[in-house]
Amino acid sequence: MSTTEARRGEPITTVLTWQVRPGHEHEFEEWTHQIADCARRFPGNEGVSWLRPEDGHRYHAVLRWSDPSRLAAWLESDERGTWHQRIEGIATEIGSERQSTTGMEAWFSLPGTTVQAPPRWKMVLTTFLGAYPFTLLIQWLVTPVSAGWPLPLRAAVFPLVLLPVLTYLVMPGLSRLLRLWLYPPPDR
């Protein structure tokens, strides 16, 4: 069974990279609004965001879809093909930089590589190891102080503190620390 078949029902996010010819940025940006509107009407689309470059001429499209099969349908659709024809000579998609993720894999990615994400059970265990100590700390320090707060505000404190700490500090460190277990070398 392929990875796509195993994850057919899961949402997927894909990043597409475009190289824009110098001097054609305005034309390309107009095109991005139009193709994004077209994609939003396509079955399974859950959003399209464009990231503008700080320097250079590379743009990135972040596509969110309800499942891999609907994303594939969009990527192979006649509508998308027609839109791509409209910017020939203006911009080129850099297919080698296309990246997709269905969830926690982003915490376990290795920059500059195309290494497959670890098995889910390893991701769950690693995430538990990272989250548990901070859950205890938050419960110990914040819960007594916030006991009188309204429930929606108390509930917001936990993810507002925990998620940035996990995403920016804990999970990258754990991924590096456990890299040989998460990404064993291929059998020879």
Side-chain angles (χ1 to χ4, degrees):
M1 181 183 302
S2 73
T3 303
T4 301
E5 291 173 52
R7 297 178 177 172
R8 187 167 304 280
E10 296 181 18
I12 186 167
T13 300
T14 295
V15 178
L16 307 176
T17 301
W18 290 85
Q19 181 69 38
V20 179
R21 286 185 51 204
H24 293 273
E25 295 83 4
H26 182 70
E27 294 169 84
F28 182 75
E29 288 179 13
E30 286 182 11
W31 176 85
T32 65
H33 295 294
Q34 295 167 356
I35 193 171
D37 288 341
C38 180
R40 285 183 187 105
R41 293 188 298 271
F42 210 83
N45 181 275
E46 295 181 351
V48 177
S49 302
W50 283 91
L51 307 174
R52 293 186 179 122
E54 291 178 19
D55 283 329
H57 302 282
R58 284 185 184 220
Y59 288 70
H60 305 281
V62 180
L63 310 169
R64 291 174 301 284
W65 293 85
S66 60
D67 61 76
S69 61
R70 290 190 174 185
L71 170 64
W74 163 251
L75 293 174
E76 298 164 7
S77 71
D78 291 338
E79 293 94 330
R80 184 173 184 264
T82 300
W83 280 101
H84 280 226
Q85 290 173 357
R86 294 180 183 181
I87 59 162
E88 284 184 15
I90 294 173
T92 306
E93 181 184 350
I94 304 172
S96 63
E97 293 189 14
R98 186 179 289 182
Q99 299 176 1
S100 296
T101 181
T102 57
M104 292 191 331
E105 292 94 336
W107 277 349
F108 297 93
S109 64
L110 298 174
T113 69
T114 56
V115 173
Q116 187 172 2
R120 288 180 174 209
W121 69 269
K122 288 184 177 184
M123 290 191 288
V124 168
L125 185 57
T126 304
T127 304
F128 175 80
L129 291 172
Y132 183 73
F134 288 95
T135 302
L136 282 175
L137 190 62
I138 291 169
Q139 293 294 323
W140 180 56
L141 294 175
V142 177
T143 301
V145 174
S146 65
W149 298 358
L151 179 60
L153 185 58
R154 283 193 327 251
V157 169
F158 188 79
L160 284 172
V161 172
L162 185 64
L163 295 178
V165 169
L166 283 177
T167 300
Y168 293 105
L169 300 174
V170 176
M171 295 311 296
L174 273 177
S175 294
R176 280 190 300 275
L177 181 68
L178 301 175
R179 72 183 172 280
L180 292 177
W181 178 69
L182 290 167
Y183 312 97
D187 295 334
R188 294 183 182 168

